[in-house]
């Protein structure tokens, strides 16, 4: 796929555990922008928190409050406040059940002094050392003790909602928040912390916010790459074209993401961008053929090295490569057969063609290892492949990206490729078919191309009339 925009969550993703942006991440963002790729944020934080990152990194736009408030460097793209009655009901609920609540405006997160402390850098840092199973106990104890010293007043909260409120936060464990959610079916509840729940409008999310930005800037949701680590990133990572889970992310995030990189403190963003060929690795030549660069990135990951000086294949390795291609040709013939008889006939023809080709080549040249001869043959193979697509009326651009993404999924949990000891083919992880098998995506892309052609014919017919 062609990546036209990249979005980063902030906490646990863009920033490391010291609340700073890694130099490798800054360098990666600069490289993205130099390539003409749009870069933005998608976060549960408010615009007031995000603006310093926008300025520091020269970002293009930000989806804040989980999609409720979206802005670029020069304007507000969308603002969707929560309705007043829902806010009054939330405040009443918080009072009745003695729950701390904060309300997010465009300028600040106001209300609970406890939660203001909880969102501070110090609190965010210390929360990493508390086991998730203890979240409910810690949250309940903290709430009970501190609320006596810093009581919350309903009158002050009701005064706050006279201005637009884009997100509410209630101090509650995951179990408690599920009970609250049942009483507010018209609102959406999501989490980026084990201690508090984010409350927004039902039809809003980071994903929908990104979709809205795409309409403004001319990119499709499938042309988006997104990074996240928390459960409020799940919908975003499930819906974009290329989703990356940080190594420090939740298990749920890693299950839905197409790829898991290293942590937010171990150059995770930079490594993922390198992994998918969006950033070129240092000291590695790149070609003007972006398909070549993607395959080179694949071999860089799988072989843990790349060949920078032109060399010819030795006989044994050349046989392996030819064998790989031959298997794909047999699959091609299979997909062009109406019956087993057709397939057997096609394979028999292939055997005959192979013998005929061997006789022809043997009569033309002397057997020797030749870089020129190998390159000439491979370029002709590439040319014939493109010719096959031309005669089928199929555009291979997006299809190549689909297969590339599937091939990049052949990395095992140890971070390396595994090879068959006999055939030398790359093996597939156990979950590869479920997460990366390309056939479904290929079918969708072909259906899109067929529909596009049919639509163009209909348009021509209408113009004639």
């Amino acid at each position: 796929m062609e990546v036209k925009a990249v979005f980063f969550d902030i906490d646990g993703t863009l920033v490391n555990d010291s609340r700073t942006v890694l130099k490798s991440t800054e360098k990666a963002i600069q490289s993205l922008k130099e390539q003409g790729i749009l870069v933005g944020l998608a976060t549960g934080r408010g615009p007031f928190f995000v603006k310093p990152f926008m300025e520091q990194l020269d970002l293009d736009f930000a989806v804040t409050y989980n999609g409720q408030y979206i802005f670029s460097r020069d304007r507000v793209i969308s603002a969707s406040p929560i309705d007043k009655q829902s806010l009054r009901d939330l405040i009443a609920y918080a009072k009745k059940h003695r729950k701390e609540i904060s309300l997010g405006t465009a300028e600040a997160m106001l209300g609970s002094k406890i939660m203001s402390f909880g969102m501070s850098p110090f609190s965010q840092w210390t929360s990493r050392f508390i086991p998730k199973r203890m979240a409910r106990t810690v949250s309940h104890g903290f709430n009970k003790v501190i609320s006596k010293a810093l009581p919350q007043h309903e009158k002050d909260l009701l005064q706050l909602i006279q201005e637009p409120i884009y997100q509410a936060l209630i101090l509650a464990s995951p179990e408690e928040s599920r009970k609250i959610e049942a009483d507010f079916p018209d609102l959406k509840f999501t989490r980026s912390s084990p201690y508090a729940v984010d409350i927004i409008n039902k039809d809003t999310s980071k994903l929908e916010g990104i979709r809205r930005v795409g309409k403004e800037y001319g990119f499709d949701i499938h042309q988006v790459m997104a990074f996240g680590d928390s459960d409020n990133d799940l919908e975003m990572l499930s819906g974009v074209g290329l989703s990356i889970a940080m190594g420090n992310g939740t298990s749920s995030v890693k299950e839905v993401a197409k790829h898991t990189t290293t942590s937010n403190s171990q150059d995770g963003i930079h490594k993922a961008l390198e992994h998918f060929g969006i950033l070129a690795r240092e000291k590695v030549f790149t070609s003007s053929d972006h398909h070549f660069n993607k395959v080179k990135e694949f071999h860089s990951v799988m072989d843990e090295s790349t060949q920078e000086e032109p060399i010819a294949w030795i006989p044994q390795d050349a046989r392996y490569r030819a064998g790989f291609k031959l298997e794909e040709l047999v699959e091609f013939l299979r997909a062009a057969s109406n019956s087993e008889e057709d397939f057997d006939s096609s394979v028999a023809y292939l055997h005959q063609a192979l013998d005929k080709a061997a006789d022809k080549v043997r009569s033309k040249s002397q057997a020797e290892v030749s870089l020129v001869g190998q390159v000439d043959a491979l370029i002709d193979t590439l040319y014939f492949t493109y010719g096959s697509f031309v005669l089928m009326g199929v555009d291979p651009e997006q299809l190549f990206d689909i297969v590339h993404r599937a091939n990049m999924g052949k990395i095992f949990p140890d971070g390396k490729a595994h090879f068959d000891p006999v055939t030398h083919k790359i093996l597939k992880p156990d979950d590869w078919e479920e997460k990366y098998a390309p056939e479904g995506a290929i079918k969708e892309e072909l259906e899109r191309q067929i529909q596009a052609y049919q639509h163009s014919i209909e348009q021509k017919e209408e113009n004639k009339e």
Side-chain angles (χ1 to χ4, degrees):
M1 67 176 254
E2 179 187 7
V3 175
K4 289 190 174 181
V6 178
F7 284 82
F8 302 104
D9 172 50
I10 296 180
D11 299 294
T13 301
L14 181 72
V15 298
N16 62 12
D17 295 341
S18 299
R19 315 295 300 167
T20 59
V21 179
L22 296 175
K23 291 296 182 183
S24 66
T25 301
E26 290 186 2
K27 183 178 179 181
I29 291 173
Q30 181 182 356
S31 178
L32 291 173
K33 294 183 68 62
E34 288 172 354
Q35 295 178 59
I37 297 174
L38 297 167
V39 185
L41 300 172
T43 177
R45 296 280 196 169
F48 56 91
F49 184 89
V50 166
K51 286 178 181 177
F53 293 103
M54 294 277 288
E55 295 172 3
Q56 174 190 349
L57 302 171
D58 191 28
L59 303 180
D60 296 294
F61 32 65
V63 174
T64 67
Y65 282 143
N66 293 301
Q68 296 273 106
Y69 192 100
I70 307 167
F71 66 100
S72 66
R73 285 183 296 222
D74 56 3
R75 65 189 176 93
V76 175
I77 297 173
S78 175
S80 306
I82 302 173
D83 70 274
K84 303 298 183 186
Q85 187 56 54
S86 292
L87 290 170
R88 284 191 285 268
D89 292 343
L90 283 170
I91 292 169
Y93 184 98
K95 179 184 178 183
K96 178 180 178 181
H97 296 275
R98 296 183 179 180
K99 293 291 181 187
E100 291 291 314
I101 185 171
S102 284
L103 306 172
T105 71
E107 304 301 329
M109 182 63 70
L110 304 169
S112 170
K113 294 181 176 61
I114 296 172
M115 294 179 74
S116 295
F117 170 77
M119 289 184 289
S120 68
F122 173 77
S123 179
Q124 293 282 320
W125 180 78
T126 55
S127 68
R128 296 186 297 113
F129 302 102
I130 300 173
K132 290 184 178 180
R133 66 180 182 273
M134 296 291 292
R136 181 175 182 178
T137 302
V138 172
S139 175
H140 180 73
F142 187 72
N143 192 2
K144 183 176 181 181
V145 173
I146 304 300
S147 60
K148 292 181 179 180
L150 300 170
Q152 211 170 13
H153 300 291
E154 183 180 13
K155 182 179 179 181
D156 295 336
L157 293 171
L158 292 173
Q159 183 63 35
L160 285 177
I161 67 172
Q162 298 308 306
E163 59 180 304
I165 301 298
Y166 299 99
Q167 180 168 275
L169 272 73
I170 290 182
L171 192 65
S173 68
E175 295 78 11
E176 291 170 329
S177 66
R178 282 192 283 271
K179 294 178 182 178
I180 303 172
E181 185 175 1
D183 290 334
F184 294 90
D186 295 329
L187 296 173
K188 178 183 283 188
F189 288 64
T190 185
R191 303 186 74 90
S192 57
S193 162
Y195 308 110
V197 60
D198 303 347
I199 306 170
I200 55 178
N201 289 323
K202 193 74 173 180
D203 58 350
T204 308
S205 67
K206 289 185 179 183
L207 181 65
E208 289 306 312
I210 291 172
R211 201 188 306 275
R212 179 67 180 269
V213 175
K215 290 180 180 179
E216 293 286 328
Y217 285 83
F219 60 81
D220 185 81
I221 198 72
H222 299 298
Q223 295 172 315
V224 171
M225 182 180 195
F227 291 75
D229 72 297
S230 298
D231 288 355
N232 69 335
D233 297 316
L234 288 173
E235 188 173 347
M236 172 179 73
L237 296 179
S238 298
V240 299
L242 185 54
S243 52
I244 311 297
M246 304 304 293
N248 53 287
T250 66
S251 57
S252 299
V253 165
K254 293 177 182 178
E255 286 176 7
V256 304
K258 292 183 173 66
H259 175 72
T260 298
T261 185
T262 53
S263 77
N264 60 328
S265 296
Q266 296 176 312
D267 302 319
I269 288 174
H270 198 282
K271 287 180 179 178
L273 291 168
E274 278 190 341
H275 177 84
F276 286 99
I278 298 170
L279 296 183
R281 292 178 182 269
E282 295 181 359
K283 299 181 180 179
V284 174
F285 83 83
T286 56
S287 168
S288 58
D289 181 346
H290 66 281
H291 287 159
F292 172 89
N293 293 333
K294 289 176 181 177
V295 177
K296 186 166 188 175
E297 178 66 16
F298 168 78
H299 281 284
S300 175
V301 173
M302 299 302 169
D303 302 334
E304 298 184 336
S305 64
T306 57
Q307 179 60 41
E308 301 305 304
E309 178 186 2
I311 60 171
W313 288 92
I314 62 173
Q316 184 61 59
D317 290 342
R319 290 176 197 135
Y320 289 139
R321 301 304 300 179
F324 300 159
K325 296 182 183 69
L326 188 60
E327 181 179 339
E328 299 305 326
L329 287 175
V330 173
E331 285 190 13
F332 171 74
L333 292 176
R334 182 74 171 180
S337 301
N338 286 313
S339 63
E340 290 297 328
E341 290 76 15
D342 277 349
F343 180 58
D344 290 342
S345 177
S346 295
V347 172
Y349 174 83
L350 189 62
H351 281 290
Q352 295 171 7
L354 184 61
D355 291 337
K356 183 178 179 180
D359 291 338
K360 180 179 178 181
V361 171
R362 189 179 289 113
S363 68
K364 287 172 57 179
S365 61
Q366 178 181 342
E368 62 176 345
V369 175
S370 167
L371 177 61
V372 173
Q374 291 180 12
V375 169
D376 179 58
L378 290 173
I379 287 294
D380 284 343
T381 303
L382 189 62
Y383 204 93
F384 276 122
T385 300
Y386 273 111
S388 298
F389 279 119
V390 169
L391 297 175
M392 294 170 76
V394 171
D395 181 356
E397 179 75 19
Q398 295 297 325
L399 299 168
F400 187 96
D401 289 341
I402 290 168
V403 172
H404 174 65
R405 187 163 61 247
N407 285 335
M408 294 301 286
K410 296 176 183 178
I411 298 176
F412 279 70
D414 62 3
K416 297 181 179 180
H418 293 188
F419 297 85
D420 186 292
V422 177
T423 66
H424 291 251
K425 290 195 71 172
I426 295 172
L427 300 176
K428 301 171 183 176
D430 292 338
D431 62 351
W432 185 87
E433 291 291 340
E434 179 183 353
K435 295 181 69 175
Y436 296 102
E439 287 80 7
I442 289 174
K443 181 180 179 182
E444 289 182 9
E445 172 59 18
L446 289 174
E447 289 174 349
R448 184 196 67 77
Q449 292 189 25
I450 292 170
Q451 291 173 1
Y453 170 76
Q454 292 172 344
H455 179 69
S456 68
I457 295 300
E458 292 171 359
Q459 289 290 100
K460 288 180 181 179
E461 293 298 325
E462 290 177 5
N463 291 338
K464 288 180 181 179
E465 296 176 1

